[in-house]
Amino acid sequence: VVDVKIPITSPNRMVPAKITRTGQLPDGVSISNIKFEPEEVTIYGPTDVIERTNVVDVGTIDLSELTESQTFEMEVPIPPGIERVTPETVNVTVEITTEETEEFTDVPIEVIGGRAEEEVLVNDSFTTILARGSEELLQKLTLSDIQAFIDVSDLSIGEHDVEIQVNGPPNIRFTLEDNTIPIEINLRSD
């Protein structure tokens, strides 16, 4: 009788690590970069489960406690249905820098969620946005990177004050000169 040992490895896949952020950074500081070491972890488990897993959240960092660049050793949790994850820890380095401010005027406000039978009247369809972030990130930021919009999908016919929302690149905070805009929704007459 010959004993042959064959190592059996579960199906596996490499996926990026990510963190969840809570809280607000203290005034005057900004995140210039977040680095993961390693950037990816290997997940092991049934093929159908690992195929559905696109990222592993390695934990939460409270931004309100950051005043300088810091490295956190995060224990990698094992997501539901996954047998194991390697490595078991990931180092997350959050690089902090002095916050700068850049003003963008005449940012167009898009209207989303409108219905074909209605028209949305907006008096002033432009806004001014202050972008706060590291000098390096703000130097790369252009008006085309910023999207200001209002969502009218849940609004009925009539006059409304609608909150302006802003999308833009990560690690930049956006504040508006005016947070809301008056609009009027009417039935189309044509």
Side-chain angles (χ1 to χ4, degrees), residues 90-145:
V90 170
N91 285 328
V92 181
T93 301
V94 182
E95 295 175 5
I96 298 290
T97 184
T98 305
E99 183 175 73
E100 304 289 332
T101 302
E102 176 113 11
E103 183 177 84
F104 290 86
T105 56
D106 297 327
V107 179
I109 301 171
E110 291 178 53
V111 176
I112 64 168
R115 291 175 283 284
E117 69 276 10
E118 296 172 355
E119 67 176 340
V120 179
L121 303 175
V122 182
N123 286 345
D124 185 5
S125 58
F126 293 91
T127 188
T128 297
I129 293 178
L130 288 180
R132 291 185 169 85
S134 70
E135 184 180 359
E136 179 187 357
L137 291 176
L138 291 180
Q139 283 176 348
K140 296 179 196 165
L141 187 65
T142 64
L143 188 57
S144 63
D145 296 324

Side-chain angles (χ1 to χ4, degrees), residues 49-67:
V49 177
I50 66 171
E51 289 302 318
R52 287 195 313 262
T53 306
N54 296 317
V55 67
V56 171
D57 192 327
V58 297
T60 301
I61 292 179
D62 185 351
L63 300 181
S64 65
E65 296 176 4
L66 294 177
T67 54

Side-chain angles (χ1 to χ4, degrees), residues 23-189:
Q24 292 283 327
L25 282 168
D27 283 345
V29 298
S30 177
I31 294 173
S32 59
N33 195 12
I34 297 178
K35 287 194 287 207
F36 292 86
E37 186 59 46
E39 290 181 4
E40 294 186 317
V41 296
T42 304
I43 55 174
Y44 297 85
T47 306
D48 62 325
V49 177
I50 66 171
E51 289 302 318
R52 287 195 313 262
T53 306
N54 296 317
V55 67
V56 171
D57 192 327
V58 297
T60 301
I61 292 179
D62 185 351
L63 300 181
S64 65
E65 296 176 4
L66 294 177
T67 54
E68 59 187 14
S69 297
Q70 253 175 293
T71 298
F72 301 88
E73 186 178 18
M74 311 288 278
E75 201 168 302
V76 181
I78 298 173
I82 300 292
E83 291 164 12
R84 66 188 174 99
V85 178
T86 59
E88 293 177 359
T89 60
V90 170
N91 285 328
V92 181
T93 301
V94 182
E95 295 175 5
I96 298 290
T97 184
T98 305
E99 183 175 73
E100 304 289 332
T101 302
E102 176 113 11
E103 183 177 84
F104 290 86
T105 56
D106 297 327
V107 179
I109 301 171
E110 291 178 53
V111 176
I112 64 168
R115 291 175 283 284
E117 69 276 10
E118 296 172 355
E119 67 176 340
V120 179
L121 303 175
V122 182
N123 286 345
D124 185 5
S125 58
F126 293 91
T127 188
T128 297
I129 293 178
L130 288 180
R132 291 185 169 85
S134 70
E135 184 180 359
E136 179 187 357
L137 291 176
L138 291 180
Q139 283 176 348
K140 296 179 196 165
L141 187 65
T142 64
L143 188 57
S144 63
D145 296 324
I146 303 169
Q147 178 197 24
F149 64 94
I150 56 172
D151 184 350
V152 298
S153 57
D154 293 338
L155 300 179
S156 56
I157 288 173
E159 294 181 5
H160 305 274
D161 276 331
V162 184
E163 184 183 352
I164 303 169
Q165 299 176 56
V166 180
N167 283 335
N171 301 326
I172 296 177
R173 289 193 284 187
F174 297 99
T175 52
L176 295 149
E177 196 171 66
D178 299 304
N179 288 327
T180 60
I181 185 171
I183 65 159
E184 189 178 336
I185 300 177
N186 296 314
L187 277 174
R188 285 190 190 278
S189 51

